[in-house]
Each structure stands twice: as structure tokens, then as C-alpha cells.
Amino acid sequence: MDPVTSFALAAGVLQVVEFSLKAVKTCHELYKEGSLADTREAQDVMDELAKATDRLSITTNQATTPLSQDDLEMVDLSDKCSKLSKDLHKELDNLTVNRQSLRQSVSKGVLAIRRKKFIKEKQDLLERHQSVLATHILTRLDTRSVKATHGIHLLDQNVQELIHALDNGQSIVETLFADQNREIRELRDHFDNQFESYTRCVTDHDTHQRFLESLFFPEINMREEKITDAFDQTCRWIFDEPTDERRGRDPSRYNFRDWLRSGNGVYWISGKPGSGKSTLMKFLVNEELTEQLLDAGKGNQELLIISFFFWTAGNALQKSVSGVLRSLLYQIARRCPELVDIARTHSSKSTYGLESSTAFRTAWTDQRLLSVLDTFIDQMPAHLSLCAFVDGLDEFVGNEDLLLDMVRLFSKASQCKICVSSRPEQAFRHEFRECPRLRMQDFNHEDIRRTATSRLKPVLEKHLDTSKHSYTASVAFFVYTLISKASGVFLWLDLMVKELVKGAKNGDTIEQLQSRLERTPATIEGLYAHILENLDPIYHEEGLRYFSILLSADELEIPVTLLRLVCAQGESWKHADKFDLEYFATTHFESTCQRLENRLGACCGGLIDISDKEEENSEDRDWTVEDMEVEERKRIIRGDRTIGFTHKTAMEYVRERLNDLQGLSSHVNAMADLARGGIGFLTILSSRHRIGVKAEATQIFGESFENTMHTICASGHPVVDLKISELSESFQVELTNRMFWSLQGIHNRSYQSTQEFWSNKSFMTDLVYSAHSESAGVHFQDRLSVAAYYGCNHYLSCQPSMDSIKKEHATNLLQSTLWSIDTDLAYHSVSRYKSILPKLLAVQLVVQHTFNPKKPYFTTLEPYVTTLEPYYDIGMMDTEHLTLWVVFFSLLSKILNEVPRYIAGVALPAYEECSFKLVKAFLLQGADPNTKIPYRNDLSTSGPGFYTLVGVQSPLALIGNMTSSTSSELCSKLEARLKSAGAVIHQDFLYLIKSGHEYYPLWRLSDAQKERLDDILWCDSSVDVGHEIDALLEEIDGVDEAEVERYMDTLGHSFSDN
């Protein structure tokens, strides 16, 4: 080791010893007092000790030359001191507990007696290490070689003087370092600055990566990839210069080139279903000329093009506000890391530390995502120009106002613009009435002609006699008729060309092909009817079954793939049910998959599409981590292929027709097929991979298990028809048992163990939490707890063990089921909302037994789910006030407010009846009717900025604030039941956050001001809420976050004491 590094190591060890001895002294004082007299002083000691230990580690790793025996002794001493410092740091950390109660103080006094020996041993060791260090510095450290080393000039002048002092004979280490305190501090500062600079760089990079991970989802580009590429030389008309005549006659149309170069705000591309809007949007996003025109006139501005393609047949994120915002923000953040700082100001206190991407992801509410984008556009760097392309607004599912709010944001700044596409639905016609726009069917006739000619002509030349005089005229007739009947709808053209190609390959004459074309209806709906009516009747029943499975999967927002569908029934299901892994590696199984693929084409008339087989991609491209993740997932399930409808219009047509042809029993059977297919897919996956070995495979295990349990849970909805109800119950019980059987087999194979799968925490963590990390605190106690968590209410009702569950067991079942409901609410997904009622019915079964409503909610759970953010905001996460009763009532109000608005035709009476029974059960078990329930409201305003209101209210006040979606009859019943238990109305505004960082203490408001605020919050929507709130806030002074936290600490104590 070179002399300079050797000296630095010795100095580092000495610092660790020095601060460790201070830590020993602090521990003695803390234990002696039995309470924390000065938390700040103890924290300083901890910080200094941690920094010294980190510096020592860096210095030890900096050695570039071989180590001598003396060096090895010093490194060994360094390791021992590092271990001692970490032990002492942990000891101090255990003592410095915030919000320490009297009970904790007393327990510290008892602990002091037990830990006295431990502290004394550490002190003796430190003193021995100090003695060894003194000997090393005085007798073994060659200060002359240090002085002669060229690298000494890198040390501070004062540190060099320290080396000279050693060389001149000073021999008492304590005296030497006491005389050189200033030099030691400078040496320490030197290391501090280097270490902090390095740490800041690493932290910024890690935070940026976690931020990107929180926004990313595997299907983020799936829809765009599935859209057909524009046919050669098509779509280019959109870049044509508009003639003066057209420009003057209708300046709002056909000016896309002008809009790219110098326009701003919104450009709307509308068109009939299937007219090629998505293909055009994909072309624009990837066409080089788009970028060139956007760059024109922008000077030195950097151009960023972002895009999103809605897909109604996809999962929740592919058709929601959350999905489009996460995708757009992800694309922005990859180029603009400063977006992370903006997001910090919009995070709840639960995510200030950005401990993980999961903490951030679960904090992404629709409103918060929208606010982050809003703030970014307001504060967008001057060097940046932003253009967004969003396709398929009509395929969006959710709150349409939020979607349009997002689109409007791009009109706020001159640097931003957005191009959107949709069907000409009324909401969009009204919203974009003043925007530049075009209709696809007005301009795509040449594209249709070119496509029809290019696709049809080679086939006709191959299968027809081209020598006939009528051949050329026949081709011209086909093309003319296709263009005329298509009426600008590419989808109609595509299906009709397939029909003509099939006829030509079957040997049809020109006359027969002409007759086929003339008899085909000109509308897309008519074409669908024509296709289905001409199917062989023998395929009718089987085709309806496939359609029903796809429609049920769409409602649940889960995928249908070839491997899942082949396992749903027949021989493959029998082998999956037996957990026969060898069968799925046979050629016979491969042949079964191929036969199913052929049957889908024969039975569904081309209305169902199977994705192409995956091919090795050797294209030279700039792979991102996320791209590699998606490709790895494809390799994990090689051979599987996605199945879906060819187009949204096909799904809509089949759904409408299927309702007339089939009853509820077909829907129940389809759900059972989906569940069996999911169990079979897990079996196939288990034959190829083991849980916990490969991260990507484990992730797919978790997602598939989650989807399958979600499907099984869905059969728990109450049904009026007795026969259908009995069928649903029997299916749920049978399939839950089958799932547990398969899980046991997967567990035994993965872990080479026969213990119960639910008792293996590692297995359940890998299986359940790989898909949803926010559930990572739930611990399952038995199969009942797994069933309760997933809402298998019919399964629970027929289990004999439910009759004898004890109070603690019932309480834990209740806790895990409430957590599951909380997770469903956080997703803002229609399919997840639909699983809530079966879970409430499961809770209803549990509360028939004795349970403890006062149990603290987060005894074992990690607090990440967004529904509970108000508890962070007022400092209640670590108090006993956060009980099962408080959480249940918070969730119940959210369910009754939100679920009916998102689910059309929801069984509201069933929700309300169950809700009343649950409130009654909690009160009978001793729940406090006047408990304080925190709330936070993100307030919508018409102007810039946004506001978040935080407060507390009693259950009775919360009932009074429920929206009109909850029936007045239920509210009256709940109010009467709460009042009979002694409930009163209580509500307090605590503080208001403006634009994510300005805090206003509403507890300082007078009663009159509070009334004004209340009036503002409940005023007519035409009033400018932001302006009214700003006027009120001018009457009180803002405070910093620290003061808010101090007030919330006090408030948390009062909750806990109460």
C-alpha cells in the first residue's frame, strides 16, 4: 500500500474509533436517563459515525499496490472497527425513536440493565484498538516515505504538517491529534466532499431509474406494435401542401403540414371505425418528414415526440388515463431527468424518500399524474419543443373529463402541441369544434385503391386465366367496387379482400368472385353479419364459446393466449389438472395447439386474430432496459401467442349479437374456461421454470396467478337466477380447490419441499408480491386466508374450518381482505372494482365471528397503497389510531362513492346491503362511532396550479359528504345506526397544499373563514375555485413543511391518546 493511502487509512480508523467512543458515551447517557434528552445530539453522533465508517470503507478499497503484513494488520483493524461502529450505530438507532411514549421510556430503563454489559464490552474493544493504532502510527508508519511520495501534495497543507509532526518525534497520539483538530477536520471535510459528491451522483441516477420504473409497464408499446404498418406509398397525402382554393374555402381542414410547422394546440383526426386512423397515427409518429416539419422554424430547440395508442381490448393501463399519462411521462422523463424533481413536489409524504419504484408507482393517482404533466408544461425548459400523438380517444375507458383535461394541457404553452384521433363521437366533436382537423374517409380513397390493387392483383394473376379478354376489365371492376363499397373504411376492405382471395384460391371463376363481391353488404356491421351467417352451422356452437371467452376476458382485463385457451378444456385440461408436466413437452401437445389455431379460423370467420409467431430479432437497434425486459418475457413463454378480436368494431358487434344468442350460463362457463386455462398455463410454466430462480419467469408466474384468482373471484357476484347462482358457486369452490392443488405442485417442484405452500413465506412472496409489490406485508396463515384475500366467498362459506375460527384468526383474515380491497381501489380499474363485492361478501362471512376492530392496521403490512395517503399526511401511520375500523370505514366510503360511477349496471343494492351489515357488525364488536378519519381532496380548478386539502372527519360527517352515487336510503340507515351508537358530526380542515409545496395552516382559520372555505368547496362549478381559495389564503400566512409536521406530530399524539 502506498504511504499516502496507508496514512489515510490510519486516519480513517482513528476517526471511527473517536466517533465510536462518542457513541458509547451517548448510549450510556441515554440508558442512564431512560428517555431521550437530546435527539438531535444523538442523531449527530450517528451521522458522524456513519460518515466515518463510509470513508473508511472507501479508503480501504483505494489501495492500488500489493499489501504488506503491516498493511494487512491495518486493514484487519479497519474491518473490526467498521463492524464495531455498525453495532453501535444500530444501538443508537434503536434508542432514538421519534414520538417516544412513557411506556417506551420505562422499557428503556429496564433495557439499560440488560445492555450495560454489551456497551462495556464494546468500549473495552475500542480502547484496545486505539492502543494498537497508536503503536502502528508511531512505530510502523513510515512518515519519511509519505513525505517523499509525490502524492503528498494531494493532501491539504495542514495534513502535510501533521505528517511532518509525526516525523519530528511527537509520540502521544492523543496529544498529537488534540493539537491537530483543525487538520483532522479538514481531512474529514475533504473525504466528506468527495463522498457526498459521489453519493449525490449515484443517488440522482438511482432516483431517475426508480422514477422511470414506476411509470413503465410491459404493455406500454404493445398496441402500437400490433397496428398494421402503412402500405407502401400510402398515408403520404397528409403532408401535401393545401391549395390556395382549399385553404380559403375551409381553413380548418387539411392543413396538417402547416400545423406541424407553425401551429399549436390540438389537431384532431377523425374518421369512421376502421378507416385507418391508427395506421395513419403510427405512420406519423415514425415518419422522418414529421420530425423535419416539426423542427422547421424551431431554431435551437430540441424536439421531443411522444405518443400513446389506446386499446379497448387491452388491459387497464392500455385504455385509461393512468396508462396514457404514465406512458407520456415515461417518454418525457427519459429525455428530461428534471421531471423527477417536479414529481417529488406532487408526492405524498409516503413517497418523499423515493425508497423504491413500487412506493412511487402505487402513489400515482390519475390526478397526481395529471398535475405532474401540468407542472412540467408550465415549467418546460426553453430549449425543448414537445409534440404528442394520442390515438384512439374513443377506446378510452374511464372519466372522460380527465382525458380531455390532459389534452387541453398541450394548448397551454407555445412549445407544446398534440395530435389526437378518434371516431366522431359527440363529446369530441364538441371539444374540438374550433381545432384544425380532418376526416379520414375524405382523403384515403387513393390509399384504398393502391392497397386493393397491390393485394388483389397478384392473387388474381396466379389463380385466374389472365389471357381472357375480360380479365383486365374484371380487375378494374373489382377495384372500383371495392373503393365504392369501402367508403373510406380500410377494415371493410381488408375483410373483403380476404374473402375474394379465399374464393380465388378455392377455384372461383371471375363471375363467381364478382357475385361474391356484389352480394356483400357495404357496411362493416353488415359484413360481420354476412361472414357469420355464411359459417358452416357445425362450427356455430364452438365459435360462440370462443367469442364468449374473449368477451369475458375483456371485462376482466386479462389476456387470452393460445396456451391458456388450449388448456381450458379437453385432454390438455385433464393433464393440467393432474399436474402432468411431461405431457406439455410432447409433440402431441404441440399438435393440439396447432389444431386449436386452425379451429379458431374455421369457427370464427376471421373475426378473431392470432398474433404472429415470434421471430428472432437481429435488427441493430438501441435496446433499452425496458425493451430487453419485454423481449425476455417473450422468451420465457416462447410458443405462446395472443388471441383477440381483429378490431374494436368486431368485438362490439359480437358482444351485441351474443347477448341475443346466449344467456348468463354461457358467461359463467366462459369464466370457468378462463380460470381452467389460467391454471393450465401455470402448469405449463412450471414445466419450464421454477419460481424464484429467474426474475422474469417469477413475474409471469405472479401475474398469471393473480389473473386466475381474479377470474375465480368474479364468479362470487350474487346472481338472481338460482340455477346460475348454484352453477357459479360450484365453479368457484371447484376451481379454488384446483388452484390450491396446482400451487402445491408448483411449490413442491420449485422448492423441493412438501410443506404447505401458504406457509412458505419465500414462495408466497415470489408468487403474490412479484405481481403486486404493494402487498408485500401480508402473511397468509392458511388456505382460508389466501381465499379471503382473493374474495373466494363461496369457497369460504363451505369450509368447515370457518365455523371454529378464533378471534385472532378472524381479525387477521379481516385485515388481509381489507388490504386486498384497498389495493383494488388504488388501481382505478373497472375490472378491479368488480372484484370488490365478492371480497366484501367474504368480509361479511368473517365478521360473523368475534374479531378485534381496534387492532392497528399496519402491524405487519407495508404502507404503500394510495387509499391511505391521508394517514401519512397527518402523521398517523405509527399510532394506534389507525385501526381496522378506521380503515374499513375509509374504504367503504370510497367504494360507495366511486364504484357506481365506474361500473355501469353495478349491483348497487347488493353493495349497500352488505355495507350496512358490515357497519353494524363493527359497531357491535366495539368500534368507536366517533373515531377521526383523515381525508385528502385534490381540488380541480380552471386556472394554473392545483390544491390539496387535508383534514379529519367523523364517520357521521363522512356519510354526509358522500356523493349522489350513494342512495339516500343507505345514508339514512347508516346515520341512524351510527347515532344509536352515540355518533356526532365532526369535521376539521387541517392544512392546504398549493402546487405541491406551499403549505397553509387551516387550523388557524376563524370559524367564519372556515365557513367561507366550506362554501367555496361546495360552490357551483362555474365559480373559479382557485381564485376564491387564493383570496382566502391571502388572509393567513403560509408555513414550511417542518411546522406542518410538528403540528401533525402533536395531532398524532392526540389521536393515539384518545
Side-chain angles (χ1 to χ4, degrees):
M1 187 184 296
D2 65 273
V4 173
T5 303
S6 181
F7 178 80
L9 178 61
V13 174
L14 189 69
Q15 287 183 49
V16 171
V17 171
E18 174 189 353
F19 288 114
S20 295
L21 286 171
K22 283 186 179 180
V24 168
K25 181 180 178 183
T26 304
C27 287
H28 277 307
E29 291 175 354
L30 290 171
Y31 279 132
K32 181 178 179 181
E33 295 297 328
S35 63
L36 190 59
D38 191 347
T39 302
R40 184 178 299 279
E41 181 180 346
Q43 187 64 49
D44 288 343
V45 173
M46 290 169 61
D47 291 343
E48 292 292 352
L49 182 56
K51 288 180 181 179
T53 306
D54 288 335
R55 286 194 298 269
L56 181 58
S57 176
I58 291 175
T59 304
T60 305
N61 294 328
Q62 283 179 341
T64 57
T65 57
L67 302 180
S68 65
Q69 183 60 38
D70 285 351
D71 294 334
L72 291 172
E73 290 177 6
M74 180 59 70
V75 170
D76 179 60
L77 183 62
S78 165
D79 291 341
K80 290 177 179 177
C81 286
S82 293
K83 184 178 184 304
L84 268 172
S85 71
K86 289 175 182 176
D87 290 342
L88 288 166
H89 190 284
K90 183 177 180 180
E91 190 77 11
L92 268 176
D93 195 30
N94 290 335
L95 285 167
T96 54
V97 180
N98 289 328
R99 307 181 183 91
Q100 189 179 41
S101 66
L102 176 62
R103 182 176 58 192
Q104 289 172 320
S105 300
V106 173
S107 66
K108 292 275 173 61
V110 176
L111 187 63
I113 300 173
R114 299 178 181 175
R115 304 298 287 171
K116 183 177 180 180
K117 183 179 179 182
F118 169 84
I119 299 298
K120 185 65 170 65
E121 289 174 353
K122 302 301 178 187
Q123 182 177 2
D124 292 343
L125 273 174
L126 285 167
E127 289 172 351
R128 285 200 297 273
H129 292 337
Q130 189 180 42
S131 176
V132 171
L133 179 65
T135 303
H136 177 90
I137 291 176
L138 296 177
T139 64
R140 299 185 180 183
L141 183 61
D142 187 354
T143 54
R144 289 181 176 81
S145 64
V146 174
K147 289 168 61 180
T149 300
H150 179 70
I152 191 174
H153 74 278
L154 297 176
L155 298 175
D156 292 340
Q157 180 63 37
N158 290 322
V159 179
Q160 295 180 40
E161 292 174 2
L162 174 61
I163 296 172
H164 286 295
L166 280 169
D167 188 49
N168 290 334
Q170 290 190 3
S171 58
I172 302 175
V173 174
E174 291 86 347
T175 303
L176 175 63
F177 278 93
D179 292 341
Q180 299 290 340
N181 277 334
R182 181 165 55 88
E183 288 83 350
I184 287 292
R185 283 196 302 272
E186 291 185 2
L187 178 62
R188 185 175 65 203
D189 290 343
H190 174 74
F191 279 109
D192 279 348
N193 292 335
Q194 284 189 324
F195 182 73
E196 287 175 7
S197 175
Y198 169 78
T199 301
R200 191 182 309 112
C201 180
V202 171
T203 300
D204 289 346
H205 178 267
D206 289 348
T207 300
H208 185 225
Q209 284 302 119
R210 286 195 296 270
F211 181 71
L212 289 174
E213 290 169 8
S214 77
L215 294 168
F216 180 78
F217 51 97
E219 303 82 9
I220 200 165
N221 295 317
M222 181 182 291
R223 173 54 177 160
E224 181 182 359
E225 292 169 355
K226 286 183 174 293
I227 295 170
T228 304
D229 290 334
F231 204 80
D232 188 35
Q233 295 302 309
T234 60
C235 294
R236 306 203 68 84
W237 51 265
I238 197 167
F239 295 126
D240 292 346
E241 282 279 7
T243 63
D244 291 338
E245 179 185 0
R246 183 182 294 275
R247 195 193 300 269
R249 185 174 67 244
D250 191 352
S252 69
R253 296 175 185 269
Y254 202 57
N255 53 359
F256 190 73
R257 187 183 185 98
D258 288 352
W259 181 81
L260 285 177
R261 285 187 299 201
S262 57
N264 53 32
V266 181
Y267 194 101
W268 181 35
I269 297 175
S270 67
K272 296 178 181 179
S275 59
K277 298 183 295 296
S278 296
T279 298
L280 176 63
M281 292 290 279
K282 180 178 181 179
F283 168 79
L284 290 172
V285 168
N286 295 284
E287 171 58 32
E288 185 177 347
L289 186 53
T290 303
E291 185 173 348
Q292 292 174 3
L293 291 169
L294 285 168
D295 270 334
K298 292 294 188 295
N300 295 324
Q301 280 189 332
E302 179 183 355
L303 175 64
L304 175 57
I305 297 176
I306 57 179
S307 61
F308 185 79
F309 294 76
F310 281 108
W311 193 23
T312 191
N315 64 22
L317 288 173
Q318 291 173 285
K319 53 186 173 184
S320 65
V321 165
S322 179
V324 63
L325 287 171
R326 279 174 59 172
S327 176
L328 298 182
L329 288 172
Y330 171 78
Q331 295 169 70
I332 293 172
R334 288 183 65 182
R335 292 271 294 275
C336 304
E338 57 266 32
L339 186 63
V340 179
D341 294 328
I342 293 174
R344 285 177 186 273
T345 67
H346 293 262
S347 304
S348 69
K349 295 182 181 180
S350 59
T351 58
Y352 278 159
L354 300 181
E355 295 87 352
S356 69
S357 59
T358 300
F360 228 145
R361 185 181 298 117
T362 54
W364 285 134
T365 63
D366 293 347
Q367 191 63 50
R368 183 168 295 127
L369 287 163
L370 192 66
S371 296
V372 171
L373 179 60
D374 185 7
T375 306
F376 175 78
I377 290 176
D378 280 341
Q379 304 174 7
M380 194 162 62
H383 66 82
L384 190 66
S385 174
L386 182 65
C387 182
F389 291 86
V390 178
D391 174 60
L393 299 187
D394 54 286
E395 301 202 37
F396 163 79
V397 176
N399 186 341
E400 204 169 71
D401 291 337
L402 275 178
L403 175 67
L404 295 177
D405 284 344
M406 181 206 75
V407 174
R408 294 179 194 120
L409 290 181
F410 289 87
S411 300
K412 293 177 59 176
S414 59
Q415 298 163 257
C416 297
K417 61 180 68 178
I418 184 170
C419 175
V420 298
S421 72
S422 73
R423 297 182 188 181
E425 295 179 354
Q426 176 58 34
F428 304 131
R429 289 203 304 268
H430 176 77
E431 178 69 24
F432 306 133
R433 62 190 182 281
E434 302 296 333
C435 299
R437 59 196 182 275
L438 63 82
R439 296 196 314 169
M440 282 293 297
Q441 59 268 26
D442 294 342
F443 300 100
N444 62 3
H445 293 286
E446 178 60 24
D447 287 352
I448 287 179
R449 187 200 64 77
R450 190 186 301 274
T451 303
T453 303
S454 300
R455 290 182 57 187
L456 197 57
K457 191 174 181 179
V459 178
L460 297 180
E461 288 177 348
K462 182 176 180 180
H463 294 282
L464 297 180
D465 186 357
T466 59
S467 63
K468 286 188 175 183
H469 176 72
S470 61
Y471 173 76
T472 302
S474 297
V475 172
F477 169 78
F478 284 145
V479 173
Y480 172 79
T481 308
L482 283 169
I483 294 173
S484 176
K485 282 197 164 188
S487 299
V489 179
F490 267 97
L491 179 60
W492 187 96
L493 173 72
D494 180 65
L495 292 171
M496 194 62 241
V497 167
K498 287 179 181 177
E499 285 287 298
L500 292 175
V501 169
K502 183 171 68 173
K505 289 180 177 179
N506 289 339
D508 286 1
T509 65
I510 288 180
E511 291 75 16
Q512 288 172 322
L513 291 177
Q514 289 175 342
S515 176
R516 185 189 291 265
L517 179 56
E518 289 171 349
R519 287 186 292 107
T520 303
T523 64
I524 191 67
E525 292 81 7
L527 181 56
Y528 289 147
H530 178 76
I531 290 172
L532 293 180
E533 287 168 4
N534 284 276
L535 284 177
D536 191 323
I538 199 172
Y539 299 144
H540 184 75
E541 185 175 345
E542 187 176 351
L544 289 180
R545 173 178 161 246
Y546 295 138
F547 287 143
S548 187
I549 289 173
L550 285 176
L551 291 173
S552 296
D554 178 65
E555 290 179 11
L556 294 171
E557 297 177 335
I558 64 175
V560 177
T561 65
L562 189 63
L563 293 181
R564 289 175 171 87
L565 194 55
V566 80
C567 288
Q569 286 187 348
E571 186 177 5
S572 297
W573 165 244
K574 293 178 181 178
H575 286 281
D577 191 33
K578 296 176 183 177
F579 204 68
D580 179 6
L581 303 184
E582 294 181 0
Y583 168 76
F584 297 103
T586 63
T587 56
H588 180 70
F589 176 66
E590 291 181 7
S591 300
T592 303
C593 293
Q594 184 60 54
R595 282 196 300 274
L596 175 62
E597 186 174 342
N598 295 336
R599 296 293 291 178
L600 287 169
C603 298
C604 301
L607 301 189
I608 283 182
D609 178 58
I610 305 176
S611 64
D612 295 332
K613 292 182 178 179
E614 295 295 337
E615 298 178 357
E616 292 297 327
N617 189 350
S618 58
E619 182 183 358
D620 185 20
R621 58 178 288 189
D622 183 19
W623 288 89
T624 66
V625 174
E626 292 77 16
D627 291 331
M628 295 171 64
E629 176 186 332
V630 172
E631 289 300 310
E632 181 61 26
R633 289 171 65 88
K634 292 177 181 177
R635 285 192 288 270
I636 293 293
I637 49 177
R638 182 69 68 192
D640 204 10
R641 298 161 68 186
T642 304
I643 299 172
F645 286 99
T646 54
H647 194 264
K648 178 184 177 182
T649 55
M651 182 171 66
E652 292 169 345
Y653 176 81
V654 171
R655 175 177 283 122
E656 183 177 346
R657 178 176 173 135
L658 211 61
N659 288 336
D660 298 332
L661 296 176
Q662 293 183 309
L664 280 172
S665 60
S666 66
H667 178 66
V668 174
N669 285 314
M671 301 284 271
D673 281 338
L674 283 171
R676 279 191 289 262
I679 294 171
F681 179 78
L682 286 169
T683 305
I684 296 174
L685 201 57
S686 184
S687 70
R688 303 179 185 181
H689 304 280
R690 300 188 181 193
I691 285 186
V693 175
K694 199 168 191 176
E696 293 82 2
T698 300
Q699 180 84 6
I700 296 172
F701 267 113
E703 291 171 358
S704 302
F705 169 70
E706 185 83 10
N707 287 335
T708 306
M709 291 304 296
H710 185 35
T711 306
I712 294 172
C713 165
S715 62
H717 277 271
V719 180
V720 176
D721 188 298
L722 182 59
K723 291 184 179 179
I724 301 300
S725 179
E726 290 175 350
L727 183 63
S728 296
E729 290 177 15
S730 64
F731 272 143
Q732 189 187 87
V733 174
E734 175 196 348
L735 292 170
T736 304
N737 279 317
R738 296 297 185 192
M739 172 58 84
F740 289 163
W741 163 260
S742 294
L743 287 182
Q744 192 63 55
I746 295 169
H747 170 270
N748 294 351
R749 173 172 167 77
S750 296
Y751 287 85
Q752 302 296 304
S753 168
T754 57
Q755 76 179 100
E756 285 282 349
F757 71 86
W758 53 263
S759 65
N760 187 333
K761 291 183 180 179
S762 178
F763 175 74
M764 295 306 293
T765 297
D766 284 336
L767 182 67
V768 179
Y769 315 141
S770 61
H772 299 290
S773 302
E774 65 270 15
S775 304
V778 178
H779 298 307
F780 299 105
Q781 295 182 315
D782 52 15
R783 296 190 179 200
L784 292 180
S785 59
V786 179
Y789 182 85
Y790 287 103
C792 300
N793 53 312
H794 295 317
Y795 173 86
L796 291 173
S797 65
C798 68
Q799 298 303 305
S801 54
M802 279 292 290
D803 297 332
S804 57
I805 59 174
K806 305 297 184 183
K807 180 177 182 178
E808 182 179 358
H809 191 186
T811 304
N812 289 333
L813 287 177
L814 179 60
Q815 179 168 318
S816 62
T817 312
L818 290 179
W819 179 263
S820 180
I821 294 172
D822 196 354
T823 305
D824 289 333
L825 287 169
Y827 274 81
H828 301 284
S829 159
V830 171
S831 65
R832 297 299 290 254
Y833 281 176
K834 287 183 177 179
S835 70
I836 290 175
L837 181 54
K839 293 178 182 180
L840 285 177
L841 294 172
V843 171
Q844 188 174 315
L845 289 171
V846 173
V847 298
Q848 293 175 12
H849 304 272
T850 304
F851 65 97
N852 179 15
K854 299 179 182 179
K855 180 178 180 179
Y857 185 52
F858 286 122
T859 300
T860 59
L861 303 181
E862 291 295 330
Y864 278 147
V865 177
T866 57
T867 308
L868 300 180
E869 283 181 6
Y871 298 91
Y872 292 97
D873 293 329
I874 66 169
M876 287 175 55
M877 291 311 298
D878 57 354
T879 73
E880 295 180 359
H881 174 79
L882 187 55
T883 63
L884 293 181
W885 163 242
V886 172
V887 171
F888 162 75
F889 211 91
S890 298
L891 295 178
L892 184 64
S893 66
K894 194 173 182 67
I895 290 168
L896 295 175
N897 278 332
E898 289 196 7
V899 171
R901 292 191 291 120
Y902 279 86
I903 305 179
V906 67
L908 191 57
Y911 275 94
E912 294 183 347
E913 179 184 358
C914 183
S915 300
F916 181 74
K917 289 180 178 179
L918 292 176
V919 170
K920 183 178 178 181
F922 268 91
L923 292 173
L924 288 174
Q925 295 281 352
D928 179 7
N930 289 309
T931 191
K932 296 183 178 69
I933 301 175
Y935 68 92
R936 72 192 316 266
N937 288 336
D938 292 323
L939 308 177
S940 298
T941 64
S942 58
F946 66 97
Y947 304 83
T948 299
L949 179 69
V950 178
V952 291
Q953 58 190 342
S954 66
L956 205 54
L958 192 152
I959 294 294
N961 291 333
M962 283 188 178
T963 65
S964 58
S965 58
T966 307
S967 75
S968 57
E969 181 181 355
L970 174 64
C971 291
S972 298
K973 288 174 63 178
L974 290 174
E975 287 176 350
R977 187 65 187 85
L978 285 166
K979 287 178 179 178
S980 69
V984 296
I985 295 178
H986 177 79
Q987 180 170 335
D988 270 336
F989 301 129
L990 296 180
Y991 62 93
L992 187 140
I993 311 172
K994 181 179 179 181
S995 299
H997 58 273
E998 296 180 61
Y999 290 80
Y1000 291 87
L1002 302 183
W1003 64 83
R1004 293 181 180 172
L1005 293 178
S1006 66
D1007 290 342
Q1009 289 172 323
K1010 289 182 180 180
E1011 287 183 11
R1012 277 179 57 198
L1013 179 58
D1014 194 55
D1015 290 339
I1016 293 170
L1017 297 178
W1018 292 99
C1019 68
D1020 183 82
S1021 59
S1022 62
V1023 176
D1024 187 347
V1025 174
H1027 177 75
E1028 294 290 328
I1029 290 179
D1030 281 341
L1032 178 62
L1033 294 183
E1034 289 178 0
E1035 300 176 17
I1036 58 175
D1037 295 327
V1039 296
D1040 61 15
E1041 185 184 344
E1043 182 172 342
V1044 173
E1045 289 185 347
R1046 285 194 294 273
Y1047 177 77
M1048 293 303 116
D1049 288 346
T1050 305
L1051 188 63
H1053 280 307
S1054 69
F1055 286 147
S1056 182
D1057 294 340
N1058 288 339

